[in-house]
Each structure stands twice: as structure tokens, then as C-alpha cells.
Amino acid sequence: MSRGRVDEGLLATIGERLTARDELGAALADALRGTGAGDCGKVTMKQFRRALQDGIDAVPDAPRALRDFFAAVEPVPDWVDFDLVEEGGRVARRFGRNTADVMLQLALIGSYRFDGPPRLLVETGGLVGGSALRRIAETQHWATAVTAPGALRRDGEGFRLTVHVRLMHALVNHRFERGGGWDTARWGLPVNRSDLAATLGLFNAVQLLGVRLLGVRVTRAESRAVMHLWKYVGHLLGVDEDWLFDYEPQQHRLNYHLLLTQSYGGAAGPPLAGALVEAQRHLHFRHFARVRRAHARARLLSMLRFFLGRRGMRDLGLPPSLPWAVPPLIAANLLRYQILGRSEAGRAHLQRRGERFIERHLRRHFHEHTPDVAAFDV
């Protein structure tokens, strides 16, 4: 396929999967909610948590739905290279604050320009009012947990959180698909297989594209490692195997076609974006809290102006701003990643710096909202 050419077959597949669910997750959700049929059996959250913590064999007489679900997530596919997964985690942590900026501003708030998924967040109360920081903290906690050393091994926190997120998706879909009021013909299923793939694309290829825009140097080997890490995460989340990619161009191609299927200008986007901007006023700072919260809000608006442009800001009902925060950030990143990052000592310095950011910024600023290992809402 030449650059920019539309693959009609791929568009058709995306359309089909907008109305397709994660069937293993759906069966488990049915069994948990007592709405399943046949011999899948009734499942309790206590059984799920036991299987998640200790393995399915630790659950006596495990119901079929639970056994089938863990039969899909426990075996490690032959293509997984844990050395490459670990390297992907190191690279992601080395990006430090740049990753947090890209994921919040370009990936999350940027996606609110579309219709469909933002409506689901509004319906669940996911990112409005006082829950905004908590939900962001949950996402950031998970996204950083999967990059920790050993996190995606069977006994790792990243593995457990990812599998828990998959169940959460299934339960949300079960609630709205069966509860009525959701326009499936217009938006697809509440949590569908195309949207799952689109979400994965935000964490791998969009993350890599975004940090480059901020001046970060990403080598082919680093890109390959990050893509491999998220490929395995995508497998655990139930993303279709033919949409799990080893290389950025493959993911960018899918992302491009996913964008072509989106409608813009939904009513849910502006209040969601506004809630996250205003949530900056509630960040935790030990000293000069009022001034630093005001700076955090102004910086967020400035970065959004850079990533989304004037039209994107207008679409989301955000106040006008200039991208004043970006030039000094790019200058610093050029020095750190383009010059210092070319040496082993420089990369080690960036690694330590990125990990300090994760510990001191994310977990400090969101400390009141960061969940325990299995505390995601279900």
C-alpha cells in the first residue's frame, strides 16, 4: 500500500469489529453478573482475584468461564521475548515526563475530539467532577506499572493490572450493552474490538510519535522494544492478534484507518477535556501549592495548544493559549536525548532521571488517588 492510500478492506474490517466484543471477557462478565447461560457457571470476584493472584489451578472447581478466560491470558505466546519486553520498559521509563505529557495531552485529551468513546466516559462518570484525578491516576499507575522490571511476568503487577483492566472493559460493555440507551448502530459496542486496538495504538505508536515531536531521540531498536512490550500488553487485553504489531509503521497504518472511521465534534468531549484541565487545581504539592497548581494548569493548556492546534482547542471548548511551554522543553530534550543520550553514561543518567520522575511526580502528585494493585472499578 502506498503512503496515504486507503485500504477499503481494512476499513470494512474496522467497521465489523466496531460491533464485535471480547467474547472471553463477555462470558466472564456474564458469569460474574449471573446473566450467563449454559454451563459457563457463576463466578465470584473472590474467585477471579484468587485466580489472578495465584493462578487458575488455585481455584477449586473453577467455573468454565473463568477457566476459559485464564486459559487465554496465562500461557505466554511463542513470539514473546521477555528480554525485549524488559528493554521496552527501560526505554519507556527513560522518556520520563515526556511520556506523561504525550499520553495525557495528545493521546487522552486529543481523543476527546471524537464521538463515541468519550460518551462512554461521561456515562460511567469516568472523567468528570471529583473522579477525574482518580481515573487519570489509575491509568497512569497501570501504564507505568507495565514498564517496571519483571512487571509482565505471571507474578508481576503489570500482568495482574492488565488482566484486571480486561475484565473491567468487559463489565463496562456488559452494563451498557444490556442496559439499553447506548446507540450501537451509531457508535459500535460500548467497548468493542476496534476501539481496543485504537487504545493500544495510543500507548505504543502515538507515544513514540509524540515524544519525537518533543525532541526526544528514539532509535529503531528502542522503537522495536517499546512496540514489543505493548504488543504483549495488547495480547493480554484481548486485542485481535492480526492487530498486534512489531513495528511502528504497521501501527501507524492501522491508526490512520481507525481515524478515518471516527466522527468529530461529539458533545461529550468538551466537558471531559475541561474536567482534566481544572483537575490541575487539585494536584498535590507540598510547597507553594497554589502557584504550582496554577502553573500546572497553564502548562497543560500550553502543551495542548502545541499538540492539538487552534482548531483542536476550539473543538474542545478550551481557552486560548500560546505554546510557550514547548520551546524550552524541546531545547532541553535535544540536549538530553540527542546529545547526552548517545552515550552509555548519558542513557544511564536519563534512566535514573525518568524513574525519579515516575516516583516523585506521578506518585506524589496523585498519591491520594493512586489505586492498589487490584482496585480498579468493576
Side-chain angles (χ1 to χ4, degrees):
M1 185 188 81
S2 61
R3 178 175 294 183
R5 183 177 178 182
V6 176
D7 184 334
E8 298 295 340
L10 179 54
L11 285 179
T13 301
I14 292 171
E16 292 168 0
R17 294 181 186 178
L18 282 168
T19 56
R21 65 185 66 78
D22 169 16
E23 294 294 350
L24 289 173
L28 181 55
D30 281 341
L32 280 162
R33 295 298 185 237
T35 55
D39 61 350
C40 287
K42 179 74 171 70
V43 177
T44 66
M45 279 305 301
K46 182 178 179 180
Q47 289 175 312
F48 172 78
R49 292 191 178 103
R50 179 71 181 274
L52 185 60
Q53 181 66 37
D54 301 320
I56 189 62
D57 291 339
V59 181
D61 301 319
R64 177 183 169 187
L66 190 65
R67 285 189 281 108
D68 289 348
F69 183 84
F70 278 91
V73 298
E74 286 193 328
V76 178
D78 293 339
W79 49 261
V80 174
D81 179 345
F82 276 111
D83 289 339
L84 198 56
V85 168
E86 293 296 316
E87 176 60 18
R90 284 190 291 272
V91 172
R93 297 194 302 276
R94 193 156 60 237
F95 292 157
R97 186 173 192 171
N98 297 290
T99 291
D101 283 337
V102 169
M103 295 314 302
L104 174 61
Q105 299 149 13
L106 178 60
L108 182 60
I109 297 179
S111 70
Y112 293 163
R113 298 178 66 191
F114 309 125
D115 206 0
R119 291 178 179 269
L120 184 62
L121 288 172
V122 170
E123 292 292 333
T124 59
L127 286 172
V128 294
S131 68
L133 276 183
R134 180 173 62 86
R135 289 302 179 109
I136 289 300
E138 289 175 350
T139 301
Q140 291 183 331
H141 179 69
W142 168 68
T144 56
V146 299
T147 70
L152 289 175
R153 298 283 187 174
R154 178 58 183 86
D155 60 348
E157 181 188 27
F159 175 93
R160 294 194 299 272
L161 283 177
T162 302
V163 174
H164 202 286
V165 167
R166 181 171 179 175
L167 174 61
M168 181 187 70
H169 287 163
L171 289 168
V172 168
N173 191 69
H174 180 277
R175 171 186 168 188
F176 286 93
E177 187 180 359
R178 297 197 174 232
W182 182 262
D183 191 345
T184 300
R186 180 177 179 183
W187 301 312
L189 288 174
V191 181
N192 58 72
R193 284 156 52 189
S194 287
D195 285 345
L196 282 177
T199 300
L200 181 65
L202 297 177
F203 284 94
N204 56 22
V206 170
Q207 176 190 166
L208 292 167
L209 175 63
V211 298
R212 287 193 184 95
L213 290 173
L214 295 178
V216 175
R217 176 175 178 262
V218 183
T219 67
R220 289 185 179 181
E222 289 170 337
S223 168
R224 175 78 172 86
V226 171
M227 290 296 298
H228 192 71
L229 181 151
W230 286 103
K231 180 180 180 180
Y232 184 40
V233 172
H235 164 78
L236 295 175
L237 288 173
V239 175
D240 289 287
E241 292 291 323
D242 60 334
W243 282 354
L244 298 176
F245 300 117
D246 295 298
Y247 301 101
E248 271 189 83
Q250 298 169 311
Q251 184 71 60
H252 285 310
R253 177 177 179 270
L254 176 61
N255 288 352
Y256 170 69
H257 285 79
L258 287 163
L259 283 173
L260 293 178
T261 69
Q262 297 293 323
S263 59
Y264 288 78
L272 289 172
L276 289 184
V277 170
E278 293 310 306
Q280 306 305 301
R281 300 183 188 275
H282 303 286
L283 292 174
H284 174 73
F285 292 101
R286 295 180 62 183
H287 306 291
F288 307 106
R290 181 176 297 180
V291 172
R292 294 173 73 179
R293 287 168 181 163
H295 176 267
R297 181 181 181 277
R299 182 182 184 275
L300 175 57
L301 288 170
S302 173
M303 299 287 290
L304 286 170
R305 172 65 174 79
F306 171 73
F307 281 124
L308 306 183
R310 292 178 181 174
R311 180 177 176 182
M313 298 288 280
R314 288 197 303 268
D315 288 348
L316 292 175
L318 296 173
S321 183
L322 295 175
W324 54 266
V326 178
L329 177 58
I330 291 178
N333 282 336
L334 289 175
L335 173 62
R336 292 170 184 149
Y337 293 91
Q338 302 286 356
I339 299 176
L340 296 178
R342 292 178 183 270
S343 69
E344 183 175 348
R347 286 190 295 273
H349 167 73
L350 292 173
Q351 194 78 45
R352 292 190 298 271
R353 189 175 187 277
E355 291 172 353
R356 283 198 303 270
F357 169 79
I358 293 172
E359 182 64 30
R360 297 180 181 178
H361 180 82
L362 293 183
R363 298 189 179 181
R364 177 184 296 172
H365 287 24
F366 295 93
H367 76 295
E368 296 177 353
H369 309 277
T370 300
D372 295 328
V373 170
F376 288 97
D377 286 346
V378 294

